Amino acid sequence: MKFKIRITALIIVVLQILLSAVTVSADDTDSLPPVPPLEKCKAAYLYNFENDTALFEYNPTEIVYPASTVKLMTAIVAFDYFEGALDTEITVTREMLGEVAGNKIGFYDGEIVTVRQMLNCMLVNSANDAAIILAHATAGDTASFVRMMNEKAAWIGAYNTYYMNPTGLHDDLMVTTAADTALIAKYAYNIPEFIDITATSKYVMDATNKSDYRSIYNRNCLISKFYSVDYYYSDAIGMNAGATTQGGYTLCAVAEDEERGLTYLAVVLGAEKDEDGKLYSYINGTNMLKWAFEAYDYAQVLSSSKIICELPVTLSSTLDYVTLVPQNDITVYLPKSIDLQKDIRYSYNTYSDSLEAPVEAGAIAGSITVLYGDEILGSCPLITTSSITRSEFLHFLEGIKQFTKSRFFISTIIAIVVLSVAYVLIQARRREQKLRRMSGRR
């Protein structure tokens, strides 16, 4: 059975490699600051949460090894399964510990831990023993848990991702892409507690029946300075980092500017470590995040105080026009280098050529659309800026005018004319006949 699974997975991987794109990069737009050069990595992805926008992609569909980004999916499956029950107790067994390799906390056979503790140990310290314990607690065994991981990846839409274990330890058949990893990270971001856990620089695990309390430090050097002070980034708020010999160094990082309301996700896969010890997962990830904060912001492209046009007003003795303004401001997410005066266009229309008094302030009289190139940035109604009263005398005259244009009035006039003509003709006929009779008598 395992042989068949591996052969099937190998076929999938080969097809994905043949079909995958080599490079997709962000638009080379003169109006943007130059994208920071990516060095010594295989793939990268940069995404903004608030506007659901991918800002930069580098080899987003190239097949790569996932390394510790696998633990994002391990956490997702465990969170889903134990939703509302994270304090469920797990008894660690010899069978679980027998599967552990690589980085570990060092749990004991018979030790009683909780799901919440294992999630913290796995996401904070990238502990492989915590991942194996969660797999067994969730699905009964690792193989069943991996099936759940692959099913969840497909459900999320990460179709180019295939898992072989819950830890990220290398397997030639375990693959992903930067685009898929971003999808998985976006899903994890929306799980309550996920970001809070991965934002922790130091997790203190309470004492158990087999151990005193444990101090567990975050292996993500954007978050914690414990393992290195070189990569700490104050705007980072979570996710994970890791490495394998075959997969290189990986990073999923979320950074936030709370005041501006901007949150970004940076994914770097297959990064290298140079001879000076520099880790290009952190270097590239931080450069992308800093570029995003520098290059993009919210801009007001339409103000509710901007006078768009005037409309004639009839039946008023005070004002013969009213100005129209947008009903609300429109603020959108744009490159900061855009010249709002030159690059933003407006298209508007009014629902009539004129308004008839009385006119109420705030009445909807048209609509306006904001454009950047061929892109619609937003639209809103146009409203009147003031109230205008009606002149009753003008209204009376307008009533007469309209009455004279009515079908009833026109029909009546026509009928009167017709009857008058008929009457004249009849009278003329009678006079003619009378004259003939008088002539005959003579």
Side-chain angles (χ1 to χ4, degrees):
M1 183 66 179
K2 290 182 178 179
F3 177 76
K4 289 181 179 179
I5 291 174
R6 285 178 173 267
I7 290 297
T8 302
L10 182 59
I11 293 171
I12 292 171
V13 171
V14 171
L15 289 173
Q16 288 169 342
I17 292 173
L18 292 173
L19 295 173
S20 63
V22 176
T23 301
V24 178
S25 62
D27 290 337
D28 184 13
T29 306
D30 292 338
S31 61
L32 291 178
V35 176
L38 292 180
E39 299 180 79
K40 301 181 180 180
C41 74
K42 292 182 178 178
Y45 199 95
L46 179 63
Y47 172 84
N48 173 254
F49 282 97
E50 288 79 9
N51 299 280
D52 190 21
T53 302
L55 301 183
F56 178 73
E57 300 173 339
Y58 173 68
N59 295 341
T61 58
E62 182 171 330
I63 300 299
V64 294
Y65 296 125
S68 285
T69 63
V70 168
K71 292 186 174 76
L72 298 178
M73 182 57 72
T74 302
I76 287 170
V77 174
F79 269 115
D80 282 355
Y81 186 82
F82 288 103
E83 183 178 4
L86 296 184
D87 292 317
T88 299
E89 292 186 340
I90 306 166
T91 300
V92 180
T93 66
R94 190 179 302 274
E95 178 188 5
M96 298 175 186
L97 298 177
E99 296 182 28
V100 176
N103 180 54
K104 60 185 177 180
I105 300 296
F107 297 108
Y108 300 100
D109 181 23
E111 186 169 4
I112 299 173
V113 296
T114 68
V115 173
R116 190 187 306 277
Q117 289 172 333
M118 295 301 95
L119 284 167
N120 274 273
C121 290
M122 180 183 70
L123 292 174
V124 172
N125 193 253
S126 198
N128 291 342
D129 48 1
I132 296 294
I133 292 167
L134 283 171
H136 279 259
T138 301
D141 60 76
T142 302
S144 298
F145 186 81
V146 170
R147 282 196 293 272
M148 294 174 69
M149 293 172 68
N150 285 316
E151 289 170 0
K152 191 66 176 183
W155 186 88
I156 290 173
Y159 301 118
N160 294 317
T161 295
Y162 190 80
Y163 296 110
M164 294 298 294
N165 62 61
T167 62
L169 286 176
H170 180 72
D171 188 302
D172 286 343
L173 299 182
M174 187 159 64
V175 294
T176 191
T177 68
D180 275 10
T181 303
L183 276 177
I184 293 163
K186 285 187 278 182
Y187 186 93
Y189 175 82
N190 289 302
I191 296 175
E193 295 192 55
F194 183 91
I195 284 294
D196 290 340
I197 290 175
T198 61
T200 303
S201 60
K202 175 185 175 183
Y203 171 63
V204 178
M205 181 177 167
D206 291 338
T208 68
N209 61 321
K210 294 274 187 173
S211 172
D212 197 356
Y213 75 90
R214 296 173 170 100
S215 293
I216 298 166
Y217 293 90
N218 201 320
R219 285 185 174 272
N220 182 351
C221 296
L222 298 185
I223 301 295
S224 170
K225 298 178 181 179
F226 184 79
Y227 293 98
S228 174
V229 299
D230 296 333
Y231 306 108
Y232 179 77
Y233 182 42
S234 59
D235 289 333
I237 62 170
M239 292 283 173
N240 84 336
T244 63
T245 301
Q246 299 85 346
Y249 290 84
T250 63
L251 176 70
C252 281
V254 173
E256 177 186 57
D257 184 331
E258 191 172 2
E259 183 177 342
R260 292 160 64 191
L262 291 172
T263 311
Y264 293 100
L265 166 68
V267 174
V268 180
L269 299 177
E272 300 177 15
K273 179 179 182 180
D274 70 11
E275 60 277 4
D276 296 325
K278 294 179 180 178
L279 300 179
Y280 282 88
S281 53
Y282 292 119
I283 292 171
N284 290 323
T286 303
N287 284 343
M288 285 196 298
L289 292 168
K290 288 180 177 179
W291 174 84
F293 284 122
E294 176 188 344
Y296 287 82
D297 206 345
Y298 291 106
Q300 186 182 88
V301 294
L302 185 64
S303 170
S304 58
S305 62
K306 179 181 178 65
I307 296 175
I308 303 301
C309 64
E310 297 175 350
L311 266 186
V313 175
T314 61
L315 305 187
S316 172
S317 59
T318 56
L319 290 172
D320 57 4
Y321 72 92
V322 65
T323 55
L324 302 185
V325 297
Q327 188 178 53
N328 53 267
D329 298 334
I330 294 181
T331 300
V332 295
Y333 179 71
L334 287 172
K336 291 168 69 174
S337 54
I338 284 179
D339 188 329
L340 298 181
Q341 300 298 320
K342 295 180 180 179
D343 299 334
I344 301 299
R345 298 184 295 110
Y346 304 99
S347 174
Y348 70 89
N349 70 288
T350 57
Y351 299 148
S352 61
D353 294 331
S354 63
L355 297 176
E356 184 179 290
V359 175
E360 295 293 332
I364 295 175
S367 64
I368 184 169
T369 299
V370 184
L371 303 162
Y372 172 54
D374 295 329
E375 181 183 359
I376 296 177
L377 300 181
S379 60
C380 72
L382 290 175
I383 60 172
T384 56
T385 57
S386 56
S387 297
I388 301 175
T389 58
R390 182 176 68 187
S391 167
E392 294 305 322
F393 176 70
L394 293 176
H395 176 62
F396 174 73
L397 293 180
E398 181 64 19
I400 294 175
K401 179 181 177 181
Q402 294 302 320
F403 177 72
T404 60
K405 294 180 180 179
S406 67
R407 287 186 178 181
F408 174 76
F409 178 79
I410 294 171
S411 299
T412 301
I413 295 300
I414 292 172
I416 291 172
V417 171
V418 170
L419 290 174
S420 297
V421 171
Y423 177 77
V424 170
L425 292 175
I426 291 170
Q427 291 301 317
R429 180 67 175 169
R430 286 178 178 177
R431 284 196 300 270
E432 182 181 353
Q433 289 175 348
K434 185 177 180 180
L435 289 173
R436 285 178 181 176
R437 286 195 300 269
M438 291 176 65
S439 298
R441 290 175 185 173
R442 293 178 184 173

